[in-house]
Coordinates of all heavy atoms in Angstrom, one line a residue:
M1317 N 7.0 99.3 2.1 CA 7.4 97.9 2.0 C 7.9 97.6 0.7 O 7.3 97.9 -0.4 CB 6.2 97.0 2.4 CG 6.5 95.6 2.5 SD 5.1 94.8 3.3 CE 4.8 93.4 2.2
A1318 N 9.0 96.9 0.6 CA 9.6 96.5 -0.6 C 8.9 95.4 -1.3 O 8.3 94.5 -0.6 CB 11.0 96.1 -0.4
S1319 N 8.8 95.4 -2.6 CA 8.1 94.4 -3.4 C 8.9 93.2 -3.4 O 10.1 93.2 -3.1 CB 7.8 94.9 -4.8 OG 9.0 95.0 -5.5
L1320 N 8.3 92.0 -3.7 CA 9.0 90.8 -3.8 C 10.1 90.9 -4.8 O 11.2 90.4 -4.7 CB 8.0 89.6 -4.2 CG 8.6 88.2 -4.4 CD1 9.3 87.8 -3.1 CD2 7.6 87.3 -4.7
K1321 N 9.8 91.4 -6.0 CA 10.8 91.6 -7.0 C 12.0 92.4 -6.6 O 13.1 92.0 -6.7 CB 10.2 92.4 -8.2 CG 11.1 92.6 -9.3 CD 10.4 93.2 -10.5 CE 11.4 93.5 -11.7 NZ 10.8 94.1 -12.8
K1322 N 11.7 93.5 -5.8 CA 12.9 94.2 -5.3 C 13.7 93.5 -4.3 O 14.9 93.6 -4.2 CB 12.4 95.6 -4.7 CG 11.8 96.5 -5.7 CD 12.9 97.1 -6.6 CE 12.4 98.0 -7.7 NZ 13.4 98.4 -8.6
C1323 N 13.0 92.7 -3.5 CA 13.7 91.9 -2.5 C 14.6 90.9 -3.2 O 15.8 90.7 -2.8 CB 12.8 91.1 -1.5 SG 11.8 92.2 -0.4
I1324 N 14.1 90.2 -4.2 CA 15.0 89.2 -5.0 C 16.1 90.0 -5.6 O 17.3 89.5 -5.6 CB 14.1 88.5 -6.0 CG1 13.1 87.7 -5.4 CG2 15.0 87.7 -7.0 CD1 12.0 87.1 -6.3
E1325 N 15.8 91.1 -6.3 CA 17.0 91.9 -6.9 C 18.0 92.2 -5.8 O 19.2 92.1 -6.2 CB 16.4 93.2 -7.6 CG 15.6 92.9 -8.8 CD 15.0 94.2 -9.3 OE1 15.0 95.2 -8.7 OE2 14.5 94.1 -10.4
Q1326 N 17.6 92.7 -4.7 CA 18.6 93.2 -3.7 C 19.4 92.0 -3.2 O 20.6 92.1 -3.0 CB 17.9 93.9 -2.6 CG 18.8 94.5 -1.6 CD 19.7 95.7 -2.3 OE1 19.2 96.5 -3.0 NE2 21.0 95.6 -2.2
K1327 N 18.8 90.9 -3.0 CA 19.5 89.6 -2.5 C 20.5 89.2 -3.5 O 21.6 88.9 -3.1 CB 18.4 88.5 -2.2 CG 19.1 87.2 -1.9 CD 19.9 87.3 -0.6 CE 20.5 85.9 -0.3 NZ 21.4 86.0 0.8
C1328 N 20.1 89.1 -4.8 CA 21.1 88.7 -5.8 C 22.2 89.7 -6.0 O 23.3 89.3 -6.1 CB 20.3 88.5 -7.1 SG 19.3 87.0 -7.2
K1329 N 21.9 90.9 -5.9 CA 22.8 92.0 -6.0 C 23.8 91.9 -4.9 O 25.1 91.9 -5.0 CB 22.2 93.3 -6.1 CG 23.2 94.5 -6.4 CD 22.4 95.8 -6.5 CE 23.3 97.0 -6.8 NZ 22.5 98.2 -7.0
D1330 N 23.4 91.7 -3.7 CA 24.2 91.5 -2.5 C 25.1 90.4 -2.6 O 26.2 90.3 -2.1 CB 23.4 91.5 -1.2 CG 22.7 92.9 -0.8 OD1 23.1 93.9 -1.4 OD2 21.8 92.8 0.0
C1331 N 24.5 89.3 -3.2 CA 25.2 88.0 -3.3 C 26.4 88.0 -4.3 O 27.4 87.5 -3.9 CB 24.2 87.0 -3.7 SG 24.8 85.3 -3.9
C1332 N 26.2 88.6 -5.4 CA 27.3 88.4 -6.4 C 27.7 89.6 -7.1 O 28.7 89.6 -7.9 CB 26.8 87.3 -7.4 SG 25.8 87.9 -8.6
Y1333 N 27.2 90.8 -6.8 CA 27.7 92.0 -7.6 C 29.0 92.5 -7.1 O 29.2 92.7 -5.9 CB 26.7 93.1 -7.5 CG 27.1 94.4 -8.2 CD1 27.5 94.4 -9.4 CD2 27.0 95.6 -7.5 CE1 27.9 95.6 -10.1 CE2 27.4 96.7 -8.1 CZ 27.8 96.7 -9.4 OH 28.2 97.9 -10.0
D1334 N 29.9 92.6 -8.0 CA 31.2 93.2 -7.8 C 31.4 94.4 -8.6 O 31.6 94.3 -9.8 CB 32.3 92.1 -8.1 CG 33.7 92.6 -7.8 OD1 33.9 93.8 -7.3 OD2 34.7 91.8 -8.0
P1335 N 31.4 95.6 -7.9 CA 31.5 96.8 -8.7 C 32.9 97.0 -9.5 O 33.0 97.8 -10.4 CB 31.4 97.9 -7.7 CG 31.5 97.3 -6.4 CD 31.2 95.8 -6.5
M1336 N 33.8 96.1 -9.0 CA 35.2 96.2 -9.7 C 35.2 95.4 -10.9 O 36.2 95.4 -11.7 CB 36.2 95.9 -8.6 CG 36.3 96.7 -7.4 SD 36.4 98.5 -7.7 CE 38.1 98.6 -8.1
D1337 N 34.3 94.4 -11.0 CA 34.2 93.5 -12.2 C 33.5 94.3 -13.4 O 32.9 95.3 -13.2 CB 33.5 92.2 -11.8 CG 33.8 91.1 -12.7 OD1 34.4 91.3 -13.7 OD2 33.5 90.0 -12.4
T1338 N 33.5 93.6 -14.5 CA 32.8 94.2 -15.6 C 31.4 94.0 -15.7 O 30.9 93.0 -15.1 CB 33.5 93.7 -16.9 OG1 33.3 92.3 -17.0 CG2 34.9 94.1 -17.0
G1339 N 30.6 94.9 -16.3 CA 29.2 94.7 -16.5 C 28.4 95.3 -15.3 O 28.9 95.6 -14.3
T1340 N 27.2 95.4 -15.6 CA 26.2 96.0 -14.6 C 25.9 94.9 -13.6 O 26.2 93.7 -13.8 CB 24.9 96.4 -15.2 OG1 24.2 95.3 -15.8 CG2 25.1 97.5 -16.2
W1341 N 25.2 95.2 -12.5 CA 24.9 94.2 -11.5 C 23.9 93.2 -12.2 O 24.0 92.0 -11.8 CB 24.3 94.8 -10.3 CG 22.9 95.4 -10.4 CD1 22.6 96.7 -10.7 CD2 21.7 94.7 -10.2 NE1 21.2 96.8 -10.7 CE2 20.6 95.6 -10.4 CE3 21.3 93.4 -9.9 CZ2 19.3 95.2 -10.3 CZ3 20.0 93.0 -9.9 CH2 19.0 93.9 -10.1
R1342 N 23.1 93.6 -13.1 CA 22.3 92.6 -13.7 C 23.0 91.7 -14.6 O 22.7 90.5 -14.7 CB 21.2 93.4 -14.6 CG 19.9 93.9 -13.8 CD 18.9 94.4 -14.7 NE 17.9 95.1 -14.0 CZ 16.8 94.4 -13.5 NH1 16.7 93.2 -13.7 NH2 15.9 95.0 -12.8
D1343 N 24.0 92.3 -15.4 CA 24.8 91.4 -16.2 C 25.5 90.3 -15.3 O 25.6 89.2 -15.7 CB 26.0 92.2 -16.9 CG 25.4 93.1 -17.9 OD1 24.5 92.8 -18.6 OD2 26.0 94.2 -18.0
Q1344 N 26.0 90.7 -14.2 CA 26.7 89.8 -13.3 C 25.7 88.7 -12.7 O 26.0 87.6 -12.6 CB 27.5 90.5 -12.2 CG 28.6 91.3 -12.8 CD 29.3 92.1 -11.6 OE1 29.3 91.7 -10.5 NE2 30.1 93.2 -12.1
V1345 N 24.5 89.2 -12.2 CA 23.6 88.3 -11.7 C 23.1 87.2 -12.8 O 22.9 86.1 -12.4 CB 22.4 89.1 -11.0 CG1 21.3 88.1 -10.6 CG2 22.9 89.8 -9.8
E1346 N 22.9 87.8 -13.9 CA 22.4 86.9 -15.0 C 23.4 85.8 -15.2 O 23.0 84.7 -15.6 CB 22.2 87.7 -16.3 CG 21.8 87.0 -17.5 CD 21.5 87.9 -18.6 OE1 20.8 88.8 -18.6 OE2 22.2 87.7 -19.6
K1347 N 24.7 86.0 -15.0 CA 25.7 85.0 -15.2 C 25.8 84.0 -14.0 O 26.7 83.1 -14.1 CB 27.0 85.6 -15.6 CG 27.0 86.4 -16.9 CD 28.3 87.2 -17.1 CE 28.1 87.9 -18.5 NZ 29.1 89.0 -18.6
C1348 N 25.1 84.3 -13.0 CA 25.2 83.4 -11.8 C 25.0 82.0 -12.3 O 24.0 81.7 -13.0 CB 24.2 83.8 -10.8 SG 24.0 82.6 -9.4
N1349 N 25.8 81.0 -11.8 CA 25.6 79.6 -12.2 C 25.3 78.7 -11.0 O 25.5 77.5 -11.1 CB 26.8 79.2 -13.0 CG 28.1 79.2 -12.2 OD1 28.0 79.6 -11.0 ND2 29.3 79.1 -12.8
V1350 N 24.8 79.3 -9.9 CA 24.5 78.5 -8.7 C 23.0 78.0 -8.9 O 22.1 78.6 -8.3 CB 24.6 79.4 -7.5 CG1 24.3 78.5 -6.3 CG2 25.9 80.0 -7.3
R1351 N 22.9 77.0 -9.7 CA 21.6 76.5 -10.2 C 20.8 75.9 -9.0 O 19.6 75.8 -9.2 CB 21.7 75.6 -11.3 CG 22.1 76.2 -12.6 CD 22.3 75.3 -13.7 NE 22.8 76.0 -14.9 CZ 22.0 76.2 -16.0 NH1 20.8 75.7 -16.0 NH2 22.4 76.8 -17.0
N1352 N 21.5 75.5 -8.0 CA 20.7 74.9 -6.9 C 20.2 76.0 -5.8 O 19.6 75.7 -4.9 CB 21.5 73.9 -6.1 CG 22.8 74.4 -5.5 OD1 23.2 75.6 -5.7 ND2 23.5 73.6 -4.6
C1353 N 20.5 77.3 -6.2 CA 19.9 78.4 -5.3 C 18.4 78.5 -5.6 O 18.1 78.5 -6.8 CB 20.6 79.7 -5.7 SG 19.9 81.1 -4.8
A1354 N 17.6 78.7 -4.6 CA 16.2 78.8 -4.8 C 15.8 80.0 -5.6 O 14.7 80.0 -6.3 CB 15.5 78.9 -3.4
L1355 N 16.6 81.0 -5.6 CA 16.3 82.2 -6.4 C 16.8 82.2 -7.9 O 16.4 83.0 -8.6 CB 16.9 83.5 -5.7 CG 16.3 83.8 -4.3 CD1 17.0 85.0 -3.8 CD2 14.8 83.9 -4.4
W1356 N 17.6 81.1 -8.2 CA 18.2 81.1 -9.5 C 17.2 81.2 -10.7 O 17.3 82.0 -11.6 CB 19.0 79.8 -9.7 CG 19.8 79.9 -10.9 CD1 21.1 80.5 -11.0 CD2 19.5 79.4 -12.2 NE1 21.6 80.3 -12.3 CE2 20.6 79.7 -13.1 CE3 18.4 78.7 -12.7 CZ2 20.6 79.3 -14.4 CZ3 18.5 78.3 -14.1 CH2 19.5 78.7 -14.9
P1357 N 16.0 80.5 -10.6 CA 15.1 80.6 -11.7 C 14.4 82.0 -11.9 O 13.9 82.3 -12.9 CB 14.0 79.6 -11.4 CG 14.6 78.7 -10.4 CD 15.6 79.5 -9.7
V1358 N 14.4 82.8 -10.8 CA 13.8 84.1 -10.8 C 14.8 85.2 -10.7 O 14.4 86.4 -10.4 CB 12.7 84.2 -9.8 CG1 11.5 83.3 -10.1 CG2 13.3 83.9 -8.3
R1359 N 16.1 84.9 -10.8 CA 17.1 86.0 -10.7 C 16.9 87.0 -11.7 O 16.4 86.8 -12.8 CB 18.5 85.4 -10.7 CG 18.9 85.0 -12.2 CD 20.1 84.0 -12.1 NE 20.6 83.8 -13.4 CZ 20.1 82.9 -14.3 NH1 18.9 82.4 -14.0 NH2 20.6 82.8 -15.4
P1360 N 17.2 88.3 -11.4 CA 17.1 89.4 -12.4 C 18.0 89.1 -13.5 O 19.2 88.6 -13.5 CB 17.6 90.6 -11.6 CG 17.5 90.3 -10.2 CD 17.7 88.7 -10.1
M1361 N 17.5 89.5 -14.7 CA 18.2 89.4 -16.0 C 18.1 90.7 -16.7 O 17.3 91.5 -16.4 CB 17.6 88.3 -16.8 CG 17.8 86.9 -16.2 SD 17.3 85.7 -17.3 CE 17.3 84.3 -16.3
T1362 N 19.0 90.8 -17.7 CA 18.9 92.0 -18.5 C 17.7 92.0 -19.4 O 17.1 90.9 -19.7 CB 20.2 92.1 -19.4 OG1 20.2 91.0 -20.3 CG2 21.5 92.2 -18.6
V1363 N 17.3 93.2 -19.8 CA 16.1 93.3 -20.7 C 16.3 92.5 -22.0 O 15.4 91.9 -22.5 CB 15.8 94.8 -21.0 CG1 14.7 94.9 -22.1 CG2 15.4 95.4 -19.7
A1364 N 17.6 92.6 -22.6 CA 18.0 91.9 -23.7 C 17.7 90.3 -23.6 O 17.1 89.7 -24.5 CB 19.4 92.2 -24.2
T1365 N 18.1 89.8 -22.5 CA 17.9 88.3 -22.3 C 16.4 88.0 -22.1 O 16.0 87.1 -22.7 CB 18.7 87.9 -21.1 OG1 20.1 88.2 -21.3 CG2 18.5 86.4 -20.8
I1366 N 15.7 88.8 -21.4 CA 14.3 88.6 -21.2 C 13.5 88.6 -22.6 O 12.7 87.8 -22.9 CB 13.7 89.6 -20.2 CG1 14.2 89.4 -18.9 CG2 12.1 89.6 -20.3 CD1 13.9 90.6 -17.9
N1367 N 13.9 89.6 -23.4 CA 13.3 89.7 -24.7 C 13.7 88.4 -25.6 O 12.8 87.9 -26.3 CB 13.6 91.0 -25.4 CG 13.0 92.2 -24.9 OD1 11.9 92.0 -24.2 ND2 13.6 93.3 -25.0
L1368 N 14.9 88.0 -25.5 CA 15.3 86.9 -26.3 C 14.6 85.6 -25.8 O 14.1 84.8 -26.6 CB 16.9 86.6 -26.0 CG 17.5 85.5 -26.8 CD1 17.3 85.7 -28.4 CD2 19.0 85.3 -26.5
Q1369 N 14.4 85.4 -24.5 CA 13.7 84.3 -24.0 C 12.3 84.2 -24.4 O 11.7 83.2 -24.6 CB 13.8 84.2 -22.4 CG 15.2 83.9 -21.9 CD 15.2 83.8 -20.5 OE1 14.4 84.3 -19.7 NE2 16.2 83.0 -19.9
R1370 N 11.7 85.5 -24.5 CA 10.3 85.5 -25.0 C 10.2 85.0 -26.4 O 9.1 84.5 -26.8 CB 9.8 86.9 -24.9 CG 9.5 87.3 -23.5 CD 9.0 88.8 -23.4 NE 8.6 89.1 -22.1 CZ 8.7 90.3 -21.5 NH1 9.0 91.3 -22.2 NH2 8.2 90.5 -20.3
K1371 N 11.2 85.1 -27.2 CA 11.2 84.7 -28.6 C 11.5 83.3 -28.8 O 11.2 82.7 -29.8 CB 12.2 85.6 -29.4 CG 11.8 87.0 -29.5 CD 12.9 87.8 -30.3 CE 12.5 89.3 -30.3 NZ 13.5 90.1 -31.0
V1372 N 12.2 82.7 -27.8 CA 12.6 81.4 -27.9 C 11.5 80.4 -27.5 O 11.0 80.4 -26.4 CB 13.8 81.0 -27.0 CG1 14.2 79.5 -27.1 CG2 15.0 81.9 -27.4
K1373 N 11.1 79.6 -28.5 CA 10.0 78.7 -28.2 C 10.4 77.6 -27.3 O 11.5 77.0 -27.5 CB 9.5 78.1 -29.5 CG 8.2 77.2 -29.4 CD 7.7 76.7 -30.7 CE 6.5 75.9 -30.5 NZ 5.9 75.5 -31.8
G1374 N 9.7 77.3 -26.3 CA 10.0 76.3 -25.4 C 11.1 76.7 -24.4 O 11.7 75.8 -23.8
S1375 N 11.2 78.0 -24.1 CA 12.1 78.4 -23.1 C 11.9 77.8 -21.8 O 10.8 77.6 -21.3 CB 11.9 80.0 -23.0 OG 12.8 80.4 -21.9
A1376 N 13.0 77.4 -21.1 CA 12.9 76.8 -19.9 C 12.2 77.6 -18.8 O 11.6 77.1 -17.9 CB 14.3 76.4 -19.4
V1377 N 12.4 79.0 -18.9 CA 11.8 79.8 -18.0 C 10.7 80.7 -18.6 O 11.0 81.4 -19.6 CB 12.8 80.8 -17.3 CG1 12.2 81.7 -16.4 CG2 13.9 79.9 -16.6
D1378 N 9.5 80.6 -18.1 CA 8.4 81.5 -18.6 C 8.4 82.8 -17.9 O 7.9 83.0 -16.8 CB 7.0 80.8 -18.4 CG 5.9 81.6 -19.0 OD1 6.1 82.7 -19.4 OD2 4.8 81.1 -18.9
V1379 N 9.2 83.7 -18.5 CA 9.5 85.0 -17.8 C 8.2 85.8 -17.5 O 8.0 86.4 -16.4 CB 10.4 85.9 -18.7 CG1 10.7 87.2 -18.1 CG2 11.7 85.2 -18.8
D1380 N 7.2 85.8 -18.4 CA 6.0 86.5 -18.2 C 5.3 86.0 -16.9 O 4.7 86.8 -16.2 CB 5.1 86.3 -19.4 CG 5.6 87.0 -20.6 OD1 6.3 88.1 -20.4 OD2 5.3 86.6 -21.7
S1381 N 5.2 84.7 -16.7 CA 4.5 84.2 -15.5 C 5.4 84.6 -14.3 O 4.8 84.7 -13.2 CB 4.3 82.7 -15.6 OG 5.5 82.0 -15.6
L1382 N 6.7 84.6 -14.4 CA 7.5 84.9 -13.2 C 7.4 86.3 -12.8 O 7.4 86.6 -11.5 CB 9.0 84.7 -13.5 CG 9.4 83.2 -13.7 CD1 10.8 83.1 -14.2 CD2 9.2 82.4 -12.5
V1383 N 7.2 87.2 -13.7 CA 7.1 88.7 -13.4 C 5.7 89.2 -13.2 O 5.5 90.3 -12.7 CB 7.9 89.6 -14.3 CG1 9.3 89.2 -14.4 CG2 7.3 89.5 -15.7
A1384 N 4.7 88.4 -13.6 CA 3.3 88.8 -13.5 C 3.0 89.0 -12.1 O 3.2 88.2 -11.2 CB 2.4 87.7 -14.0
G1385 N 2.4 90.1 -11.8 CA 1.9 90.5 -10.5 C 3.0 91.1 -9.6 O 2.7 91.4 -8.4
L1386 N 4.2 91.1 -10.0 CA 5.2 91.6 -9.2 C 5.3 93.1 -9.4 O 5.2 93.6 -10.6 CB 6.6 91.1 -9.5 CG 6.7 89.5 -9.2 CD1 8.2 89.1 -9.6 CD2 6.5 89.3 -7.8
D1387 N 5.4 94.0 -8.4 CA 5.5 95.3 -8.4 C 6.8 95.8 -9.0 O 7.8 95.2 -8.7 CB 5.2 96.0 -7.2 CG 3.9 95.8 -6.6 OD1 2.9 95.6 -7.4 OD2 3.7 95.8 -5.4
D1388 N 6.9 96.9 -9.7 CA 8.1 97.5 -10.1 C 8.0 99.0 -10.1 O 8.0 99.7 -11.1 CB 8.5 97.0 -11.6 CG 9.9 97.3 -11.8 OD1 10.7 97.6 -11.0 OD2 10.3 97.2 -13.0
E1389 N 7.8 99.5 -8.9 CA 7.4 100.9 -8.7 C 8.6 101.8 -8.8 O 8.4 103.0 -8.9 CB 6.6 101.1 -7.4 CG 7.4 101.0 -6.2 CD 7.4 99.5 -5.6 OE1 6.8 98.6 -6.3 OE2 7.9 99.2 -4.6
E1390 N 9.8 101.3 -8.7 CA 11.0 102.2 -8.7 C 11.8 102.0 -9.9 O 11.9 100.8 -10.4 CB 11.8 101.9 -7.4 CG 11.1 102.2 -6.1 CD 11.9 101.7 -5.0 OE1 13.2 101.8 -5.1 OE2 11.4 101.4 -3.9
E1391 N 12.3 103.0 -10.4 CA 13.3 102.9 -11.5 C 14.6 102.4 -11.0 O 15.1 102.7 -9.9 CB 13.5 104.3 -12.2 CG 12.4 104.8 -12.9 CD 12.2 104.0 -14.2 OE1 13.2 103.6 -14.9 OE2 11.0 103.7 -14.5
E1392 N 15.3 101.6 -11.9 CA 16.5 101.0 -11.4 C 17.6 102.0 -11.6 O 17.6 102.8 -12.5 CB 16.8 99.8 -12.4 CG 18.1 99.1 -12.1 CD 18.3 97.9 -12.9 OE1 17.2 97.2 -13.3 OE2 19.4 97.7 -13.4
Q1393 N 18.5 102.0 -10.6 CA 19.6 102.9 -10.7 C 20.9 102.2 -10.5 O 21.0 101.4 -9.6 CB 19.5 104.1 -9.6 CG 18.3 104.9 -9.8 CD 18.1 106.0 -8.6 OE1 18.9 106.0 -7.7 NE2 17.2 106.8 -8.8
E1394 N 21.9 102.5 -11.3 CA 23.2 101.9 -11.1 C 24.1 102.8 -10.2 O 24.0 104.1 -10.3 CB 23.8 101.7 -12.5 CG 23.2 100.7 -13.3 CD 23.4 99.3 -12.8 OE1 24.5 99.0 -12.1 OE2 22.5 98.5 -12.9
V1395 N 24.8 102.2 -9.4 CA 25.7 103.0 -8.5 C 27.1 102.8 -9.1 O 27.6 101.7 -9.2 CB 25.6 102.5 -7.1 CG1 26.6 103.2 -6.2 CG2 24.2 102.6 -6.6
A1396 N 27.7 104.0 -9.4 CA 29.1 103.9 -10.0 C 30.1 103.5 -8.9 O 29.9 103.8 -7.7 CB 29.5 105.3 -10.5
P1397 N 31.0 102.7 -9.3 CA 32.1 102.3 -8.4 C 32.8 103.5 -7.8 O 33.0 104.5 -8.5 CB 33.0 101.4 -9.2 CG 32.4 101.3 -10.6 CD 31.3 102.2 -10.7
A1398 N 33.2 103.4 -6.6 CA 33.9 104.5 -5.9 C 35.3 104.5 -6.3 O 35.9 103.7 -6.8 CB 33.9 104.2 -4.3
Ligands
SF4_362 S1 20.5 83.3 -7.8 FE1 22.8 83.5 -7.8 S2 23.0 85.7 -7.3 FE2 20.9 85.2 -6.8 S3 21.0 84.7 -4.5 FE3 21.1 82.8 -5.7 S4 23.4 82.5 -5.9 FE4 23.1 84.6 -5.3

């Protein structure tokens, strides 16, 4: 059974990832600007952005609380464009 985190990642990837565009799927999902989407506050982001948000006092999104308790049993793999 897939974890909640993996389900969110897959949904966002299916929604907006374009292998012909620049950046990884996380880069592209991070740039999603559909703020009225229910998944927007918990959409996957790059590690660099997560670390930056942790350093910013008063960040709008408390990343630690969002990812707490979510499983991450699989390593992320990028699929090269065909
Ligand atoms: S947050 Fe953005 S990429 Fe993720 S499902 Fe919503 S609209 Fe799609």
Side-chain angles (χ1 to χ4, degrees):
M1317 184 167 135
S1319 70
L1320 177 59
K1321 180 178 178 182
K1322 290 293 178 188
C1323 291
I1324 294 169
E1325 288 177 349
Q1326 191 60 55
K1327 173 62 182 171
C1328 287
K1329 189 174 178 180
D1330 288 347
C1331 178
C1332 77
Y1333 177 53
D1334 178 359
M1336 302 305 285
D1337 200 351
T1338 58
T1340 65
W1341 71 268
R1342 278 186 187 273
D1343 291 322
Q1344 294 179 21
V1345 169
E1346 182 176 297
K1347 293 173 184 164
C1348 169
N1349 60 8
V1350 185
R1351 290 178 180 252
N1352 63 351
C1353 174
L1355 296 181
W1356 191 85
V1358 293
R1359 74 196 186 286
M1361 295 188 186
T1362 63
V1363 172
T1365 298
I1366 291 171
N1367 288 337
L1368 180 63
Q1369 286 184 340
R1370 287 180 173 150
K1371 292 178 183 175
V1372 176
K1373 186 175 181 179
S1375 173
V1377 177
D1378 182 356
V1379 176
D1380 290 330
S1381 68
L1382 292 174
V1383 298
L1386 298 180
D1387 295 331
D1388 194 14
E1389 67 271 6
E1390 298 175 30
E1391 285 294 318
E1392 182 178 320
Q1393 296 180 355
E1394 288 294 327
V1395 176

